[in-house]
Amino acid sequence: MSKRPDFEGLAMFAKVAEERSFAAAARAMDISVATVSRGVSRLEDSLGVRLLNRTSRQLSLTDAGRTLAEHASQIYCEAEKAENEARDMAGAPRGLIRFAVPMSFGLHWLAPILPDFFKAYPDVSIDLHLSDAVVDLVAEGFDAALRIAVALPDSSLAVRKLTPVSRFIVASPEYIARHGRPAHPKDLNERHCLGYAYRPRQDVWRLFNADEEEETVTPRGYLKATNVDALIPMTLSGLSIAELPEFVAAKYLADGRLERLVPDWSLKGGGLYFVTQSARARPAKIEALAEFLTWRLSQPSWRWPR
């Protein structure tokens, strides 16, 4: 007895049962009559039962054949349906995308451009998961994600860098007027520096100057949050110092509500990455999203200085 179903034999038998003819089944499946005959015979041998009564002029189903034909036909139809759906998805963008995106970036920069994506691809829908926590695409069933990081760890995931992302140490003019303008990272009061809970490894600011000298600052301020937007009110109030990605900080720097501190020192630059489970044979819907985001985000308007 076969250890696994003979799907090919079942498909051939289903078509023979439907057409009541080996020749007609062969034409419908675009294979030879001999191939169909061998497939059905192999299935009968595997099952240990005769499925068809054959004469020179007539072909009829046995009792076992009638019972199996109904199930085999369902299997054949489902296989055709699955192939057609897969073919359609490969040919034209359609279907649902489960998409994980960091919250602040998703709200401020992704959500505003999604209407243009849906206008271009009306048969695609997105289940948007907004969180700064790093998700496991495979384990949690996501099709794609945006990640913002200095570098991504090696993995089997497919990664496309969309654009660089800088980070700045900032404070309000009120803070600077009250506490003075720090000239060196050592002048940053750690008790005034706000923390970010999802920083990889530990919440430490590592700053470098042009000579690659390094200074570290460990935030010990009033507030630590899982989202950088939550740090903005404290920073604007003049109570605190924050480290912000440029896509959040740019508008506040532009209108003067925040200023960069220790500009001769910088945090390691990172990037915005589009991540998927695999780059091989990706569905058209994922390719469409990747190309759209590359087009819209590779030259972002948040770049600072402008």
Side-chain angles (χ1 to χ4, degrees):
M1 180 179 291
S2 175
K3 294 183 179 180
R4 56 190 172 85
D6 183 356
F7 291 109
E8 185 180 56
L10 285 167
M12 293 178 186
F13 170 67
K15 188 56 69 174
V16 170
E18 177 186 338
E19 300 287 348
R20 289 297 194 273
S21 166
F22 279 86
R27 285 194 298 271
M29 301 181 78
D30 194 25
I31 55 180
S32 70
V33 175
T35 299
V36 175
S37 180
R38 284 194 299 269
V40 173
S41 295
R42 184 180 67 244
L43 181 63
E44 289 179 320
D45 291 342
S46 174
L47 297 174
V49 64
R50 181 172 290 279
L51 301 173
L52 297 164
N53 290 316
R54 306 170 179 84
T55 68
S56 59
R57 295 184 179 181
Q58 190 175 358
L59 183 149
S60 63
L61 295 170
T62 64
D63 289 341
R66 279 190 291 272
T67 299
L68 183 61
E70 181 178 350
H71 297 295
S73 179
Q74 291 176 354
I75 293 170
Y76 187 81
C77 289
E78 287 298 320
E80 280 191 319
K81 180 181 177 182
E83 282 191 351
N84 288 336
E85 288 181 355
R87 193 174 293 111
D88 288 345
M89 291 184 70
R94 67 178 69 240
L96 175 67
I97 300 173
R98 296 197 68 229
F99 192 27
V101 178
M103 183 172 289
S104 292
F105 188 87
L107 291 174
H108 295 303
W109 296 102
L110 177 68
I113 65 175
L114 283 180
D116 290 338
F117 176 77
F118 292 125
K119 288 175 185 177
Y121 303 102
D123 294 326
V124 178
S125 57
I126 292 177
D127 181 352
L128 185 61
H129 175 87
L130 294 174
S131 173
D132 287 3
V134 177
V135 301
D136 185 324
L137 266 67
V138 177
E140 298 180 50
F142 285 98
D143 299 298
L146 287 180
R147 290 184 179 167
I148 299 165
V150 174
L152 294 181
D154 291 337
S155 72
S156 60
L157 299 176
V159 176
R160 177 187 295 190
K161 186 174 182 179
L162 300 179
T163 192
V165 176
S166 297
R167 298 176 294 148
F168 306 132
I169 308 298
V170 298
S172 69
E174 290 77 10
Y175 179 92
I176 295 170
R178 187 178 302 120
H179 299 284
R181 186 181 297 276
H184 189 277
K186 291 180 179 179
D187 299 329
L188 296 171
N189 188 332
E190 292 184 340
R191 292 293 302 165
H192 295 168
C193 296
L194 303 182
Y196 177 61
Y198 284 132
R199 193 182 309 280
R201 294 182 291 278
Q202 56 183 339
D203 193 13
V204 175
W205 301 350
R206 301 184 184 278
L207 296 102
F208 299 84
N209 64 11
D211 297 324
E212 287 297 309
E213 296 173 323
E214 179 181 0
E215 293 288 343
T216 61
V217 177
T218 302
R220 307 182 192 276
Y222 307 103
L223 178 66
K224 185 173 186 176
T226 59
N227 177 260
V228 293
D229 274 339
L231 309 180
I232 297 295
M234 287 287 292
T235 312
L236 293 176
S237 72
L239 291 174
S240 300
I241 300 169
E243 181 259 291
L244 300 177
E246 63 178 317
F247 60 80
V248 172
K251 71 176 182 178
Y252 300 104
L253 295 170
D255 63 22
R257 284 184 288 170
L258 293 178
E259 298 180 21
R260 283 190 67 183
L261 302 182
V262 291
D264 292 335
W265 294 76
S266 61
L267 297 137
K268 287 292 185 183
L272 173 67
Y273 299 90
F274 182 74
V275 182
T276 60
Q277 292 190 24
S278 174
R280 297 175 57 188
R282 288 196 304 206
K285 62 184 179 181
I286 304 300
E287 286 296 335
L289 181 60
E291 293 303 319
F292 176 81
L293 295 178
T294 300
W295 168 50
R296 294 297 298 267
L297 299 177
S298 60
Q299 298 292 330
S301 60
W302 71 68
R303 189 72 69 228
W304 185 267
R306 295 182 176 136

